[in-house]
Amino acid sequence: MLSIDFIRDNPERVRKALHDKGHEDAGDDLVGQVLTLDEERREKLTNLQDLQHESNEASERIGELMRQNKKDEAQDLIDRSKTLKQRISTLEDEADDAEKRRDAALLRIPNVPHESVPVGHSPDENETLREEGEKPSFDFEPQPHWALAERHDLIAFERGAKVTGAGFPFYLGKGARLQRALVDYFLDLADERGYREMQPPLFANADSARGTGQLPDKEDLMYEIGRDELFPIPTAEVPVTNFFRDEILDEDDLPLKFCAYTPCFRREAGSYGKDVRGLNRLHQFDKVELVRFERPESSYDALEELLADAERPLRQLGLPYRVLLMCTGDMGFTQAKKYDLEVWSAGQERWLEVSSVSNFTSYQARRLNARCRSDPESDTRFVHTLNGSGLALPRVVAALIEQNQQADGTLVLPDALAERTDFKRIGGR
RNA sequence: GGAGAGGUGGCCGAGCGGUUUAAGGCGCUCCCCUGCUAAGGGAGUAUGCCCUUUAACAGGGUAUCGAGGGUUCGAAUCCCUCCCUCUCCGCCA
């Protein structure tokens, strides 16, 4: 969430952010509501604290009188304290209520986009910054990955659907081996760039989901184990970013960089058609995630570095891709700036998102209560959090096998990968 | 899953209804003393929020002793619920 001080000082900027991100509720002025509720809260609080002060002094005095055995005088004060106490209790409830309502409204205000972010309301208004690599051309009709996967018995979609449901495939033989090699490869690349490997829990509690912003607004994204109030993670971002929840970090230790391989679980309600064909959109998929904790002043430099780190595996695998700068309307609630990496799917002739690289500035950190400070004397401030996929596997697998298909239907892996599998070729001899 | 013990400031650790505005120690910061080193002396050392004030500082108040609720004029201390940690037993990859 945003700082209430920031909203107090910059109401118009926040209103603009709300508008640009398309989170305006028709007609009602969320910023105005927050400010009003905030004033209400502060008034009640001041009032309450005055009474608490009075009550504390009375109690202290009573203690004194009791020690001196002046019971009668004490009794008078006790009677007065009792009435005071009732007023305190009422005011407490009111102040509490005002704070809850303020915070509820505050949670509905999105992060403010960075000034370099283009204003726009549809995906068409995202900026394509560059295209890297050459799209392949074939002297035969290239097949989509699901056809190739079936032909070489790499993935069992139907059986997955039988066992769990659509979007939960089995990977088999060289298909499974390929995925394992990719995970290993991506982690090694991240390690080379100074990201410390982490194996996080695959379930997170509600506090954690709130911390990174999956709750309350993206509730439908996650599966839920109601019985234990846990959520299978939709991305490693959730557990990894929550690692430092409620902690104060030493700024000398920043930046802190982590990478984590995890399966990810997403309900993906409402998707259909070509979007969900084959590996395009799954309910369970593997991903290597990069997460960074940064000083506020360096988070945008870190974002550029993170982008480069996310691009590296695509380059090395020789996959054509493009870099998009997301416009205000197409970026998430919690993000201040976001790039998407899209890989070229040669069999489907379309771009597939494989990474999303974002700076959340202090927005997540404030929810997480993750702070930092330069030395014990100075004030604390909220760290800046960033994350990016490096990378999500299924679409990379799809692009890989489509791009590397041969006229005879066999698949030839790029050398970088073949070093890690014990084969270079799938199919044929 | 069963039985027991326990969660106190950066760390250790006392406190078990009102001389606690959380003892004492360690660590850390600043100052003094000292030719250097060692030792010694003094002061300070949590976080959020509210108010006053400011260019910055600062001051006052309030809440927080795992979390939430209750008893009381007053709770770290008593009661209830939950969470977590440790020990022993059982089960298990």
Side-chain angles (χ1 to χ4, degrees):
Chain A
M1 59 185 145
L2 293 177
S3 130
I4 184 68
D5 296 325
F6 180 81
I7 299 175
R8 258 185 238 148
D9 296 341
N10 308 278
E12 287 317 314
R13 261 185 86 185
V14 178
R15 284 198 179 95
K16 179 168 165 24
L18 222 63
H19 173 264
D20 290 347
K21 277 197 164 182
H23 287 295
E24 247 169 351
D25 287 334
D28 60 17
D29 173 19
L30 203 49
V31 172
Q33 280 178 43
V34 166
L35 292 176
T36 308
L37 287 168
D38 179 52
E39 245 172 80
E40 189 186 324
R41 166 180 170 270
R42 277 150 60 206
E43 194 191 313
K44 302 266 189 209
L45 206 59
T46 307
N47 233 316
L48 169 68
Q49 292 185 350
D50 284 347
L51 290 185
Q52 283 173 327
H53 179 50
E54 211 177 317
S55 164
N56 284 345
E57 282 192 328
S59 291
E60 211 172 302
R61 180 77 188 129
I62 290 168
E64 242 172 81
L65 290 170
M66 297 295 262
R67 259 177 275 128
Q68 294 166 10
N69 243 315
K70 296 181 184 165
K71 291 250 167 69
D72 291 348
E73 271 184 70
Q75 192 54 49
D76 284 352
L77 258 182
I78 289 175
D79 291 342
R80 257 191 288 161
S81 277
K82 279 186 182 171
T83 23
L84 199 55
K85 204 201 155 184
Q86 286 188 332
R87 283 163 62 206
I88 287 176
S89 165
T90 316
L91 254 179
E92 235 166 19
D93 290 347
E94 287 176 14
D96 226 56
D97 182 60
E99 179 165 313
K100 280 204 181 101
R101 284 185 297 140
R102 180 196 70 166
D103 287 347
L106 209 48
L107 277 176
R108 290 170 53 210
I109 296 182
N111 201 355
V112 176
H114 189 253
E115 55 190 14
S116 62
V117 172
V119 174
H121 290 278
S122 86
D124 302 337
E125 292 166 270
N126 295 333
E127 240 173 66
T128 304
L129 297 183
R130 46 199 164 82
E131 266 185 52
E132 305 283 350
E134 294 263 320
K135 292 181 189 171
S137 56
F138 300 96
D139 47 15
F140 56 94
E141 186 64 30
Q143 299 292 300
H145 65 272
W146 53 85
L148 295 163
E150 184 179 356
R151 172 173 180 157
H152 299 294
D153 194 25
L154 301 176
I155 303 172
F157 290 104
E158 295 295 328
R159 291 199 175 104
K162 175 178 69 180
V163 171
T164 305
F168 290 93
F170 284 82
Y171 300 87
L172 296 158
K174 287 183 174 175
R177 185 72 182 82
L178 178 62
Q179 295 239 104
R180 179 152 60 90
L182 280 170
V183 168
D184 189 53
Y185 181 43
F186 292 167
L187 284 172
D188 281 353
L189 289 176
D191 176 71
E192 283 170 22
R193 306 300 285 221
Y195 294 82
R196 188 172 188 209
E197 186 173 346
M198 191 187 255
Q199 292 190 7
L202 302 183
F203 296 159
N205 57 29
D207 281 344
S208 299
R210 235 187 315 277
T212 31
Q214 277 71 25
L215 290 180
D217 32 289
K218 291 200 281 186
E219 207 151 4
D220 292 342
L221 170 78
M222 295 188 291
Y223 288 97
E224 182 172 2
I225 302 171
R227 196 173 158 188
D228 299 297
E229 293 179 277
L230 291 173
F231 302 88
I233 57 170
T235 158
E237 166 193 352
V238 178
V240 177
T241 311
N242 273 280
F243 190 67
F244 292 118
R245 177 147 52 88
D246 292 321
E247 293 193 33
I248 299 175
L249 304 173
D250 187 339
E251 286 188 21
D252 291 343
D253 295 336
L254 300 180
L256 285 158
K257 300 155 68 175
F258 294 97
C259 61
Y261 152 69
T262 68
C264 301
F265 305 93
R266 297 189 182 179
R267 293 186 64 239
E268 303 290 3
S271 307
Y272 57 91
K274 67 176 181 173
D275 264 2
V276 302
R277 193 84 199 266
L279 294 173
N280 287 349
R281 190 179 296 274
L282 301 173
H283 289 301
Q284 177 187 323
F285 63 95
D286 293 310
K287 179 159 64 67
V288 170
E289 186 75 2
L290 309 174
V291 176
R292 303 174 63 126
F293 300 86
E294 295 281 342
R295 294 170 192 237
E297 56 272 12
S298 56
S299 69
Y300 281 99
D301 289 339
L303 180 67
E304 297 307 311
E305 206 176 284
L306 182 56
L307 175 64
D309 296 339
E311 285 180 54
R312 211 154 73 101
L314 289 172
R315 277 177 201 278
Q316 296 206 8
L317 288 173
L319 293 171
Y321 67 94
R322 62 178 187 175
V323 184
L324 303 179
L325 172 58
M326 309 308 279
C327 73
T328 52
D330 204 28
M331 99 179 131
F333 196 78
T334 53
Q335 291 138 0
K337 187 171 183 178
K338 168 171 133 176
Y339 296 108
D340 267 8
L341 295 181
E342 295 186 339
V343 72
W344 178 247
S345 162
Q348 303 177 76
E349 306 222 307
R350 56 188 285 225
W351 296 100
L352 299 175
E353 180 192 335
V354 287
S355 180
S356 165
V357 179
S358 314
N359 185 358
F360 300 88
T361 61
S362 61
Y363 194 90
Q364 282 184 331
R366 197 166 279 107
R367 287 190 178 195
L368 294 160
N369 191 28
R371 291 166 291 170
C372 63
R373 71 176 142 206
S374 49
D375 61 89
E377 303 299 299
S378 54
D379 287 338
T380 62
R381 44 189 191 156
F382 289 100
V383 290
H384 280 198
T385 59
L386 299 90
N387 68 52
S389 342
L391 302 158
L393 280 257
R395 294 172 186 164
V396 171
V397 170
L400 257 179
I401 62 184
E402 287 174 5
Q403 158 132 343
N404 294 297
Q405 59 185 301
Q406 312 297 310
D408 64 0
T410 61
L411 312 173
V412 179
L413 298 184
D415 292 338
L417 250 190
E419 284 171 18
R420 290 163 184 270
T421 55
D422 48 5
F423 53 87
K424 181 166 173 64
R425 183 176 286 271
I426 297 175
R429 295 155 279 159

